[in-house]
Each structure stands twice: as structure tokens, then as C-alpha cells.
Amino acid sequence: MAGAAIACDAISKSYGEVRAVDALSLTVPEGAVCGFLGPNGSGKTTTIRMIVNILMPDAGSIRIQGRAAGADTKDLIGYLPEERGLYQKMKVGEMLEFLAELKRVPASEAKGRVRRWLERVELGAWADKKVNDLSKGMQQKIQFIAAVIADPPILILDEFSSGLDPVNANQLKDILLDLRAQGKTILFSTHRMEEAERLCDYVCLIHRGRKVLDGKLADVRAAAGKSTLRVSYRGEAALLRQAPGVLGVDDFGNAAELKLSPEAQSGAGVAAIVRFLAPQLELTGCEQLEPTLNQIFLETVGAASVTPPGAGAGAANG
Amino acid sequence: MKILVIIKRELLTRVRTRGFLFFTIGIPLIAAGFLFMEYKIVQASQNVSSNIAVVNLAPGFYAPLAQALGARLDNGQPEFVLHRVAATPATLPAVEAALRQQVLAKRYDGYLVVPAAIVTARTAVYHARNTAAVAVRESLQAHLGQAVNRARMMRAGLSPAQIDGMAGGFKLNQVKVSRLGGEQADNGRGAIVVAVLVGALYMTLLLYGVVVMRAVVEEKTSRISEVLLSAVDPFSLMMGKILGVAATALAQLGVWAALLALAAGYGLAMAKIGGATLSAYVPHLPALLYISFFVFFILGFLLYASIYAAIGAMVSSDQEAQQTQMPLTMVLVAAIYLAFLVMANPGSTLSVVLSLIPFFAPILMVVRVAVSHPPLWQVLLAMALCLATFLACTRITAKIYRVGILMTGKRPTLPELLRWLKYA
């Protein structure tokens, strides 16, 4: 697909008997911030490792900015793995320069970049310290710099905020927003829905290795429907049940939440309800509510158990 | 080239450690220091004249004895300073008692009692304060022996001129019979060079192979592998590590070779001043030996290190790695044991076959080249087999590496390992 930063076409990956990822298709447009959501063990990390070309899909194909994923496309992606890892015995500055050079940043330029990034995250004074002299929070920030140091057009962050204290999380979030403003494509996995809700404009939801939902966050929410209509009213409550498309009523006396049928969730449907109620009741307020991503997630995954599919696949913990 | 970035990091981070500096420069310096101290001690003891009282009971023997003991030390001082003490068999006990006191008082280092019948009995007694000074005793024995022999020949009726004509040392020269080229003089130093070369091979294959393994385990346990693999393909990462460590090993060997050459050069210069010829000190070894040493060093290292790397990728801790690497280490140890066999009988069928086996070739073929002259085709075949095995091995080890590097938890069993090979 033209214009897609990342395009996975029906990719699958099995570990022995366990299908970690099952015919997953995923498209992330250029410049999008895409939340990759799913419970633990749903195949997020396996999918990401295939996109970064650390693992090969058993079937299906992956294109990065239109090129088949391979050794060449690795330079297009900055990757923050879920399992954080740094050379503990190296000096912070030298290690970041090494990682930059590994992504083809010229040695002459790497030094300056590392210095600027370290200053940006307020670790400028630590360049000559060994990595294992740093606190865990500081190492997290170093790990983040490692992902962005080569200035790649695509960033893939696996559970990027896990283990960060609120101050540092906020600092990195600001940097992320800045990178998004620069037009970077960002794919980040998380199981924290409210985080995805705040940052993403695209979401992809997977469960048991299969995609259950994807698209623009706004569309997803719209598709999930504004299934709740909250009305403030004075009058006969029994009338509420008779309104067209109302499946159920949760009445609080002078306000009630109406559960809408899918057809009734459109503007026209709501208008019809209002038209039906207005002559007979005194309506003082009317608000159609979108479900949270968390509600959507729970509803989509539904009654299905959220335990990971089969145990024992060592690498399938994403 | 990303592999160069990896090689550079491996080399720089290793060469800059204190441990590397210590092993590379410190150990030779310490060894040289010990040798120098020993040399100084020996020299100091050799350059001191021994003060000896001589009780001569053999009539007319003092003059030849004094002549025989007239040797001079390197610094021009006489080796022995003799003090003639008169005595008769009757006064001997009293004289000896007095001398004993004087030796203890350090007036003399010792006293020599020459019996009346020394020429026929061929024995004398040297009483010394320090009986550990072996050089003094041996020198006394040799020179007294000469004096006694001379006296016996005189008695047999030979003239001093005849005796001088008969005297003189004897030297056995050894010549190595070889198929290639002419015969070359072998002064026995070749065996030492072979031991040094094979020792260097064994040590670097084993020690630096383990360095590669531990580096892989470290990257695995610190979980930086995933970051690295997001930038390079696993084969480049593995080869970069192996070549980087090989470069480190070569740097170390290079420094050692340079230091050795320096020491040898200094020794040669000293020998030249002393009038010795070059050939007496430089072992005559064929150029093929040095070439095959270098080629087999590289090939052997690549072969063993790639397997060590795969072992590193299979395990999750240093302890597990230690256990898992045992079989490979045993192969190397076996090669060293077989080296003695091959050295004793380098041309036998068994030696030829063993030296062609890729895992043994780096050591055994070098031994054969050093002690005999194997046909060139055998050397080249061994190299080709070694290279082919390495290439075949890396296909497998790179797969194990690729899968293992992301695995945590328990060590894979053999069937699991085979499955890795399938889905890598």
C-alpha cells in the first residue's frame, strides 16, 4: 500500500505448536501514531520483532516504506524493546555512539548527537559514567535515546512507558509528541488503554495472535458506536423505554442512561429519540457518550478468556 | 559496513581494559624481569673470586694445580685466589682445625686438601662454607681433573707439547634430513619454537574462544542483543564479535611477538659482541611453518569461536556455558595430547589422518610442518577442509545464534536444538 510506513500482510509466526501470530495484517500510514494494543501474550512483541526483522514470519510479507523488510530496512526503524538492555560496562556516551554508528550515523556526527540528546533528557553530566552507575530510570532514558539517536523515520516502542516514574514518563511523552510533529511514524505497544487513548491517532487491537480491530482511533470509537445516551429529564420515566431504538434504560430519577441499538446511534437515530421524547417530557440535557478504549477493548475481546494462548512459548510474551 | 563498527567496539573495549594491558605487557615484563634477575644473580655469583686455602700434600703438584686454576672471570678477576698453606700428614689435623676456624671467620671461602696420591687416587676434598655454590665446585672439579690428567700423561712419558696437541673439546653437530631443499643445520632450538607456537595456538583458541562465548552470554543476559539485532543481521553480529575478538588476540600476539623479537635482537647483538655466529642462535624453521601457523591460527580461531558463539547463544548464564562448552574444550585438549603422538611419528598414516581432521588440523598440521616436511598438498588439503568445515559450521551456528539469542530460560535439549535449525 502506497504511503504506508509499515504494511504487514497476513503474517503468521508459530513456535512449535503455538501460533503466536495468526494471519495478521496491519497498516500504519506515514506520520501516524499507532497504538498496538492487546493483553499480555497476545503476540504484540512477536509481531514487532517481525517488523524490525529480528524474526522472520513463517508466512505473509512485511513492507517498510514500500520496501520488503530485511537487513536494509533496519535503518529506517528505531526500536525500543520491551526487554530493556544496555552494555552495562560501557560508558554511556561511547555506547550511544556505537549504537548510532551501527545505524549508519557517521562517527564524526554521532558524538554531537549523543551530547545533544543527553542534554535534552538532563543526563549531560553522565556521558563518561558507566551505564551500570546509572539509576534504573536514567537507564530507561538512555534506552530511549538509543532508539531515536539515528533519527529514523519510524519508531517502534514496545511498552515504552513501563517502569518510568511520572516525571520521566512525561518528559519522554513530550519528546514523543515533538517527534510526531516532525512527521515520524510511531508504533507503540501498550496494554494501558488510557495511554493509547491520549497519544494515538490509530489503533490496532490484537488478541491471541489475531487482529480484532484496527483503524483511526476516532473511527474505531465511532464504529464501536456512541451506544449510551444520557438524558436529563422531568416527566414519566416509562416513556423512555418506548423511544425508538432504545434497548434498555438505567434510570436515576431525573437522569437516565439509555442503551441504544446500533441503528439508533446515528445522528438521525438520536434525533428521532429526541423528537419522540421532546413533546411528552421536559428534556433538560442530552449527551451521547463514546465508550472508552478500555470498554471497546473489553467488549471486543468480549467474554473470550484473556489468558495467553498456550504456555511454554518462551519468546511469545508480547 | 556495520560489521566494522562491531569489530571496532569489540577491539577497543577489550584492548582498553586493565586485564588486557596486564596480560599483554605486564606478563612479558614480569617474565623478562625474573629472567633478568636470575641472570644478574648468576652473573653476580660467577663474577666473585673464590678465596681458597690449598693444603697440598702431593709433592710437585702445586704448580700445575695453580696453573690449572688460573682461569679468569668475565670481569678479568681471577676465578680462584689461592693461598698456599704448608702441612705434612702429621700436622694436617691441626692445620685443618685452624683453617676451619678461618673459613668460618670468612677469611677463606673454603680450603682444598690435595692428598699425596691425588694423581692415582683421582680425588681431593674441598671444604666449603657454602656447599650450594655448585658453579665453584664444578669448576674446581673440572680444572683439578685437567691437572690430574696432565700429570698422568706426563708420567706416561708424553711431552707437554704432545699433551697440548691432544687436548681440546669436542662438539657434535646435528643436521636435519629433509625432503625439501638441502640439508639444514638444526641446533635443537626448533623444538622450543614449536612448543611456543603450539602453546600460543592452544591458549588463544581456548582462552579467546571462551571470550567470544562469554561476550555472547553477556549480551544475552543484559538483553542488549535485541537492540543490536534491530540494527544488524545476526550473522554480521556474530561474525563481528568473532573477528573483533580475533583482532584482539592478534593484537596481543603481535605485541608478544614484537617483544620477543626485541629480546631476540638484543640477545643476538650481545651474542655478536661475544663472537658467536647468527646461525647458532636463530632456529632454522621453514617459512611454510610460519605461514601455516598464521593460516591455521585464523582458520582454527574462526572454527572454534563460531561454535563457542553458538554455545553462548544456547545458554542463559555463565555457569551453564561452562558446562556446555566442556565437549569442545575436550576436543582441544585431545588435540594437544595427540600433538605429542604426531611429534614422535609425524609421517605415520595415523598422524597424516589426524592432521587432516578439521578440528585437530590447526594444531596437529602445524606440529607436522614444524617437525617434518609433510607434502604441500596435505597442508593445503587440511586448510581447505578446515575452511569448509568453518563455512558449514557457521550456517548452523548462525541459526542457533539467531534463535538462541532471543531465548531465555532453560538450555535447549538436542531435539529442541534441531527444531531451532528448522525455524531460524
Side-chain angles (χ1 to χ4, degrees):
Chain A
M1 176 178 155
I6 303 168
C8 303
D9 183 22
I11 55 171
S12 297
K13 181 79 188 173
S14 300
Y15 299 102
E17 301 296 304
V18 183
R19 275 220 141 176
V21 175
D22 191 2
L24 179 77
S25 293
L26 166 69
T27 303
V28 183
E30 289 280 0
V33 176
C34 178
F36 191 39
L37 313 174
N40 291 326
S42 57
K44 296 193 298 287
T45 294
T46 300
T47 304
I48 285 176
R49 282 177 173 173
M50 287 191 280
I51 294 172
V52 190
N53 195 239
I54 292 175
L55 293 175
M56 301 289 174
D58 299 335
S61 70
I62 300 172
R63 301 188 84 77
I64 308 295
Q65 293 195 329
R67 289 152 65 185
D72 295 344
T73 57
K74 289 190 181 200
D75 291 339
L76 301 173
I77 301 173
Y79 177 42
L80 178 79
E82 183 186 5
E83 302 254 33
R84 309 293 149 83
L86 300 167
Y87 283 116
Q88 294 292 325
K89 287 173 194 157
M90 272 183 102
K91 288 179 182 169
V92 172
E94 284 176 3
M95 186 198 61
L96 287 172
E97 283 164 32
F98 163 70
L99 292 173
E101 285 178 48
L102 214 49
K103 293 256 184 181
R104 296 189 207 279
V105 176
S108 53
E109 206 191 314
K111 229 182 175 67
R113 272 202 211 182
V114 167
R115 205 192 54 237
R116 284 195 297 279
W117 270 108
L118 284 175
E119 275 162 14
R120 184 159 177 191
V121 298
E122 295 157 7
L123 290 177
W126 295 81
D128 286 328
K129 293 278 192 302
K130 283 193 176 167
V131 171
N132 61 4
D133 290 338
L134 269 61
S135 73
K136 205 156 178 257
M138 290 173 174
Q139 289 196 28
Q140 295 263 22
K141 293 204 275 188
I142 300 298
Q143 190 94 49
F144 181 82
I145 295 176
V148 296
I149 190 72
D151 200 27
I154 301 170
L155 280 176
I156 296 184
L157 314 171
D158 202 355
E159 300 287 351
F160 102 101
S161 63
S162 77
L164 281 175
D165 64 66
V167 178
N168 283 327
N170 217 37
Q171 194 177 40
L172 293 192
K173 192 205 72 196
D174 287 345
I175 293 174
L176 216 54
L177 290 175
D178 192 37
L179 290 168
R180 171 203 201 167
Q182 290 171 29
K184 310 273 186 216
T185 306
I186 301 168
L187 175 73
F188 73 94
S189 86
T190 183
H191 55 259
R192 291 169 57 187
M193 300 301 156
E194 72 286 358
E195 184 177 80
E197 208 154 21
R198 283 201 310 266
L199 286 171
C200 303
D201 33 35
Y202 279 80
V203 289
C204 174
L205 217 81
I206 72 167
H207 181 54
R208 293 188 165 175
R210 288 170 190 258
K211 182 170 74 182
V212 289
L213 191 69
D214 77 335
K216 282 189 174 171
L217 180 61
D219 295 346
V220 167
R221 289 173 104 173
K226 296 187 171 185
S227 58
T228 305
L229 190 69
R230 178 191 279 257
V231 292
S232 306
Y233 71 98
R234 278 192 207 101
E236 185 55 53
L239 280 167
L240 295 170
R241 258 180 199 90
Q242 296 159 21
V246 172
L247 301 176
V249 174
D250 202 357
D251 186 23
F252 304 108
N254 42 19
E257 286 186 356
L258 313 182
K259 176 103 178 118
L260 304 181
S261 72
E263 307 82 50
Q265 289 168 18
S266 63
V270 172
I273 292 169
V274 172
R275 268 201 309 279
F276 174 80
L277 294 174
Q280 309 178 59
L281 289 172
E282 187 187 344
L283 285 178
T284 57
C286 180
E287 189 187 11
Q288 194 178 3
L289 301 174
E290 278 185 343
T292 61
L293 205 48
N294 200 35
Q295 281 172 327
I296 296 172
F297 180 74
L298 289 175
E299 261 173 47
T300 315
V301 171
S305 132
V306 283
T307 50
N317 55 347
Chain B
M1 282 287 280
K2 292 184 174 185
I3 197 165
L4 292 180
V5 179
I6 294 169
I7 293 173
K8 187 178 90 177
R9 193 201 79 89
E10 287 296 328
L11 184 63
L12 287 184
T13 53
R14 289 183 196 292
V15 166
R16 280 188 307 195
T17 59
R18 273 186 222 113
F20 182 83
L21 273 181
F22 177 72
F23 269 106
T24 310
I25 297 173
I27 294 255
L29 281 185
I30 289 171
F34 272 118
L35 281 177
F36 185 72
M37 263 167 58
E38 196 186 331
Y39 171 71
K40 274 292 169 195
I41 289 167
V42 169
Q43 204 183 34
S45 67
Q46 280 175 346
N47 274 338
V48 172
S49 308
S50 302
N51 233 348
I52 296 177
V54 180
V55 182
N56 183 30
L57 302 175
F61 195 69
Y62 188 78
L65 178 141
Q67 198 194 352
L69 296 183
R72 300 217 158 240
L73 294 167
D74 294 346
N75 58 6
Q77 295 294 312
E79 190 175 355
F80 301 103
V81 176
L82 305 180
H83 304 270
R84 192 170 186 180
V85 178
T88 63
T91 60
L92 188 59
V95 169
E96 279 203 67
L99 283 174
R100 212 169 282 131
Q101 290 309 312
Q102 284 175 311
V103 168
L104 288 175
K106 302 198 174 176
R107 181 148 149 50
Y108 302 124
D109 292 308
Y111 66 94
L112 179 69
V113 178
V114 179
I118 184 171
V119 175
T120 48
R122 288 174 177 269
T123 175
V125 184
Y126 176 55
H127 304 257
R129 196 170 54 243
N130 175 16
T131 51
V134 180
V136 171
R137 190 188 70 96
E138 286 186 344
S139 181
L140 267 180
Q141 177 164 315
H143 290 117
L144 275 175
Q146 277 172 21
V148 167
N149 283 342
R150 222 178 150 81
R152 289 170 75 96
M153 287 190 250
M154 300 271 262
R155 280 189 190 177
L158 294 175
S159 72
Q162 281 174 312
I163 297 169
D164 285 344
M166 285 178 184
F170 170 77
K171 189 169 183 287
L172 176 70
N173 290 313
Q174 201 177 339
V175 169
K176 180 167 159 181
V177 178
S178 75
R179 218 171 275 155
L180 293 173
E183 300 197 328
Q184 291 159 321
D186 186 342
N187 48 24
R189 287 181 177 81
I192 298 169
V193 175
V194 173
V196 168
L197 291 184
V198 169
L201 265 173
Y202 172 69
M203 292 292 277
T204 39
L205 291 188
L206 188 65
L207 295 183
Y208 279 98
V210 170
V211 166
V212 171
M213 180 182 75
R214 296 189 58 163
V216 173
V217 173
E218 192 201 330
E219 283 181 359
K220 214 182 139 169
T221 50
S222 75
R223 309 207 186 278
I224 196 171
S225 319
E226 199 168 351
V227 177
L228 299 177
L229 288 176
S230 76
V232 292
D233 60 290
F235 185 75
S236 300
L237 181 58
M238 190 178 96
M239 283 314 291
K241 281 203 109 41
I242 291 172
L243 293 178
V245 174
T248 312
L250 277 179
Q252 186 163 58
L253 286 180
V255 171
W256 284 348
L259 288 177
L260 212 63
L262 224 78
Y266 178 76
L268 273 181
M270 292 290 99
K272 255 188 182 160
I273 291 167
T277 57
L278 261 154
S279 63
Y281 288 89
V282 179
H284 285 282
L285 293 165
L288 182 65
L289 176 61
Y290 295 103
I291 295 168
S292 60
F293 171 79
F294 186 75
V295 171
F296 276 118
F297 172 80
I298 300 289
L299 287 177
F301 187 82
L302 290 177
L303 180 58
Y304 277 91
S306 69
I307 298 174
Y308 274 116
I311 292 174
M314 272 162 54
V315 300
S316 323
S317 71
D318 267 339
Q319 286 120 316
E320 260 183 34
Q322 290 306 330
Q323 295 162 14
T324 315
Q325 57 132 1
M326 274 309 284
L328 188 58
T329 306
M330 295 313 289
V331 173
L332 253 172
V333 173
I336 287 294
Y337 278 109
L338 291 172
F340 291 104
L341 194 87
V342 170
M343 229 182 276
N345 220 339
S348 71
T349 314
L350 181 65
S351 293
V352 173
V353 170
L354 284 174
S355 68
L356 289 176
I357 295 174
F359 285 93
F360 294 151
I363 285 175
L364 299 186
M365 192 50 95
V366 170
V367 169
R368 281 187 67 208
V369 171
V371 299
S372 69
H373 289 276
L376 193 62
W377 69 266
Q378 287 184 2
V379 180
L380 294 178
L381 177 64
M383 287 176 182
L385 286 175
C386 209
L387 181 67
T389 310
F390 162 68
L391 292 176
C393 268
T394 44
R395 291 178 70 90
I396 297 168
T397 53
K399 277 185 178 179
I400 294 177
Y401 184 85
R402 176 177 200 125
V403 178
I405 203 79
L406 293 172
M407 290 280 173
T408 51
K410 72 173 185 64
R411 189 166 26 145
T413 59
L414 201 60
E416 278 170 330
L417 209 58
L418 292 174
R419 211 176 317 132
W420 286 14
L421 294 181
K422 256 195 298 182
Y423 59 65

